[in-house]
Amino acid sequence: MKIDVLTLFPEFFSTLKDWSIIGRAIKEDILNIDYINIRDFSKDKHKRVDDYSYGGGPGMVMTPEPIVDAIDSVKTERSRVIYLSPQGQRLDQDLVNRLSKEEHLILLCGHYEGIDNRIIDHYVHEEVSIGDYVLTGGEIPAMVVIDAVTRLLPGVLSSEQSFTEESHYHGILEYPQYTRPYDFRGLKVPDVLLSGNHKEIERWRRYQALKATYIKRPDLLKKANLTEEDKEILKAIEAELHNRS
Ligand code: 4G1
């Protein structure tokens, strides 16, 4: 996959190539990322890239010309131009999956109060948001997209990790995990995990994953891919939680 990041702060991304999984994907040529400084396309004598908002109001708006010139410098017929924006579709694993199948992503990062709306209407294929809060720029959202997409590219994860992905990502939370020591300041690891009974362990983990999801993220259960057995387990969890009070 090719990714071009259009940003006013390309140096902000310099550590990405050193992160283990992304770094390896880059080294092995599975992923190729370039950072384009939008300011390099400013024709203004002071290299300005922002201007006042038509109609008035506080804050500056990114001016369209350097952005379009930056897009045109990298785009092909097969590029997908993504504007990281609070107005975008909320990023979730389904969207990450879809983006990971693209050949060329152009990630446009906004600053100030955002970009001239004509860019969004005529040059951006889709807007993507990482969540509802105020940020100073689209750079961190772009990094989130790069991180989430990279780990899905063929050859990035080991076959064992990919298998974990297949078998465990059905839109519910993970089961609780423990490692050594068995006794940490008097807190013991659940004994079923030491039983060696793989069927029993499997059942316990499914129960715990569904229970954690039910308690902490009940919103996920509406979208999750649950089997008939899962629905039965959830009924038992509901009963367990009700009978406690
Ligand atoms: C209105 C959040 C404005 C922010 C309402 C998630 C946020 C990009 C994202 C803002 C941004 C809300 C994102 C806001 C983002 C131009 C430069 C837009 C920074 C900018 C809830 C500032 N996911 N925010 N405006 O944060 O780019 O992708």
Side-chain angles (χ1 to χ4, degrees):
M1 174 183 273
K2 175 78 203 301
I3 300 180
D4 283 294
V5 181
L6 313 187
T7 170
L8 291 173
F9 298 95
E11 63 285 5
F12 186 82
F13 294 86
S14 63
T15 57
L16 262 184
K17 61 179 188 322
D18 303 323
W19 295 2
S20 59
I21 295 198
I22 299 178
R24 188 154 29 77
I26 292 170
K27 228 198 223 112
E28 293 177 8
D29 286 327
I30 298 167
L31 175 66
N32 176 3
I33 314 184
D34 280 317
Y35 304 100
I36 286 78
N37 192 340
I38 295 168
R39 198 175 296 281
D40 291 345
F41 293 85
S42 172
K43 294 193 181 101
D44 181 90
K45 65 174 175 232
H46 303 294
K47 293 269 169 219
R48 283 184 57 169
V49 290
D50 61 325
D51 210 331
Y52 298 101
S53 182
Y54 267 114
M60 306 298 276
V61 177
M62 284 175 77
T63 205
E65 230 194 336
I67 296 177
V68 169
D69 287 345
I71 293 173
D72 286 345
S73 76
V74 293
K75 90 161 186 204
T76 72
E77 318 79 70
R78 287 202 276 265
S79 309
R80 191 119 185 114
V81 180
I82 313 273
Y83 177 44
L84 286 311
S85 153
Q87 305 175 47
Q89 181 188 342
R90 175 77 140 271
L91 189 71
D92 62 12
Q93 194 63 27
D94 290 339
L95 180 49
V96 171
N97 266 309
R98 180 162 66 73
L99 294 178
S100 73
K101 298 187 174 88
E102 294 288 340
E103 182 172 313
H104 182 203
L105 297 179
I106 298 176
L107 302 181
L108 173 59
C109 306
H111 253 268
Y112 316 112
E113 301 308 306
I115 66 179
D116 186 300
N117 212 72
R118 288 167 291 189
I119 303 292
I120 300 171
D121 290 340
H122 299 283
Y123 296 90
V124 166
H125 294 115
E126 75 186 294
E127 294 179 271
V128 170
S129 170
I130 63 160
D132 297 332
Y133 29 77
V134 179
L135 295 174
T136 58
E139 282 76 16
I140 290 172
M143 282 198 186
V144 169
V145 169
I146 292 168
D147 189 287
V149 163
T150 301
R151 55 187 296 292
L152 294 186
L153 299 178
V156 169
L157 297 184
S158 69
S159 55
E160 191 192 351
Q161 288 168 318
S162 303
F163 175 78
T164 306
E165 181 88 10
E166 302 265 290
S167 60
H168 290 302
Y169 186 78
H170 292 296
I172 68 167
L173 299 181
E174 268 292 6
Y175 50 77
Q177 313 226 49
Y178 302 86
T179 185
R180 291 193 291 180
Y182 168 72
D183 184 333
F184 171 69
R185 302 186 178 185
L187 305 171
K188 313 256 190 343
V189 173
D191 280 322
V192 57
L193 298 176
L194 290 84
S195 67
N197 184 336
H198 296 293
K199 244 192 144 57
E200 197 63 33
I201 290 171
E202 190 57 43
R203 240 201 318 274
W204 183 86
R205 284 179 163 171
R206 192 73 192 161
Y207 188 94
Q208 295 298 325
L210 287 163
K211 184 173 169 184
T213 309
Y214 181 84
I215 293 171
K216 300 181 188 183
R217 292 295 309 278
D219 57 301
L220 292 181
L221 289 174
K222 291 191 201 81
K223 278 210 308 180
N225 241 326
L226 299 179
T227 65
E228 285 310 310
E229 196 189 341
D230 289 334
K231 290 173 190 163
E232 288 303 314
I233 299 173
L234 271 172
K235 278 183 199 157
I237 290 167
E238 233 163 351
E240 180 204 344
L241 293 172
H242 274 95
N243 292 339
R244 279 199 319 171
S245 48

